[in-house]
Amino acid sequence: MSGDTTAVQGGRRISAHAVCTAIRDDIVSGTYQPGSRLTEELLARRYGVSRVPVREALRTLESEGFVTTRRHAGACVAQPSEREAADLLDIRALLEPLGAARAAQRRTEAHLKVLRGLVRLGRERAQHGRLGELRPLGDWFHETLAQASGSPSLAAMLVQLRRKTVWVFAAAPAPQPVAHAAPPGGARRPDPAARAVESWAEHGALVDAVARGDADRARALAAAHTERALAEYRQRRPTPVRASKHSVNTASGRN
């Protein structure tokens, strides 16, 4: 074990960063539910490392808000509150449109190539109902779009914000498929397969705006995307989440 918390397993060097990424992904995917304990020994066994990089990873995840330390219980998966969820979505409504507008002004051809390829793959998988393959593609898409903003600080905030909001969505009860008739006084709940197709079409429109250098259009599309995400989240929760004052009501999107 080296001083930079890098484990050596089977001739491979496994960093605390890699362990942190693996634990975070398992939290977001629901492998570790909110409130569940995270024992260093069990985590080390699961990921094939010693307890040192696990301990460092848990400290990082605690600073990011995914993990909390309880007295007499140790590290546990955090439980996002309604207020925290609303705050995350409000911040997202502010930053994602800014990032999209900056991307339209600063993107490179390399960024566009990756974004277009991801949109093509996302549309194909959505149309064929391969919904389980869409989250990693969505993560890659939004991370590339954030990097295209040309601002490392903004990109880091956007990536971290997406991780947290994806987790909030995952922790919320899943919406029911759309019924033949809308419930009294409410809108129909979206069918996940149809919504996935629509969402990737929106991603494609956003990439088109970024490719044209149309910052205003990119900003509006990203704002509409976050507004739809907020609306979908509110349908999952019995307690209403306040609407963002910064959203633009023009189109729709999902996380």
Side-chain angles (χ1 to χ4, degrees), residues 99-112:
R102 292 280 178 86
Q105 297 166 333
R106 302 175 179 177
R107 89 293 182 280
T108 66
E109 288 302 316
H111 290 133
L112 287 178

Side-chain angles (χ1 to χ4, degrees), residues 32-73:
Y32 302 125
Q33 293 292 319
S36 61
R37 292 188 61 187
L38 297 171
T39 306
E40 288 181 12
E41 182 178 357
L42 295 179
L43 292 173
R45 189 180 308 150
R46 173 179 174 84
Y47 303 112
V49 297
S50 74
R51 294 173 64 171
V52 176
V54 169
R55 190 175 303 124
E56 178 65 23
L58 290 176
R59 283 198 292 264
T60 299
L61 292 170
E62 184 170 15
S63 71
E64 294 177 354
F66 289 97
V67 170
T68 186
T69 301
R70 296 178 180 174
R71 188 176 183 181
H72 305 307

Side-chain angles (χ1 to χ4, degrees), residues 37-163:
R37 292 188 61 187
L38 297 171
T39 306
E40 288 181 12
E41 182 178 357
L42 295 179
L43 292 173
R45 189 180 308 150
R46 173 179 174 84
Y47 303 112
V49 297
S50 74
R51 294 173 64 171
V52 176
V54 169
R55 190 175 303 124
E56 178 65 23
L58 290 176
R59 283 198 292 264
T60 299
L61 292 170
E62 184 170 15
S63 71
E64 294 177 354
F66 289 97
V67 170
T68 186
T69 301
R70 296 178 180 174
R71 188 176 183 181
H72 305 307
C76 302
V77 179
Q79 296 178 292
S81 67
E82 290 293 331
R83 175 169 292 183
E84 288 170 331
D87 286 345
L88 284 171
L89 291 167
D90 277 349
I91 296 169
R92 177 176 171 173
L94 286 169
L95 292 186
E96 282 199 356
L98 173 62
R102 292 280 178 86
Q105 297 166 333
R106 302 175 179 177
R107 89 293 182 280
T108 66
E109 288 302 316
H111 290 133
L112 287 178
K113 183 178 180 180
V114 174
L115 289 169
R116 284 170 171 154
L118 290 169
V119 167
R120 178 178 56 81
L121 290 173
R123 280 177 162 171
E124 288 176 355
R125 284 160 177 66
Q127 288 167 358
H128 288 87
R130 295 157 63 179
L131 305 187
E133 301 175 24
L134 292 179
R135 190 175 76 82
L137 288 177
D139 291 344
W140 193 358
F141 176 89
H142 284 280
E143 184 171 346
T144 303
L145 186 63
Q147 292 170 348
S149 71
S151 171
S153 297
L154 177 59
M157 286 188 285
L158 287 169
V159 170
Q160 174 70 354
L161 180 61
R162 175 168 173 79
R163 288 170 180 165

Side-chain angles (χ1 to χ4, degrees), residues 15-25 53 56-58 60-61 64:
S15 68
H17 175 75
V19 176
C20 180
T21 299
I23 298 174
R24 186 193 298 112
D25 286 347
E56 178 65 23
L58 290 176
T60 299
L61 292 170
E64 294 177 354

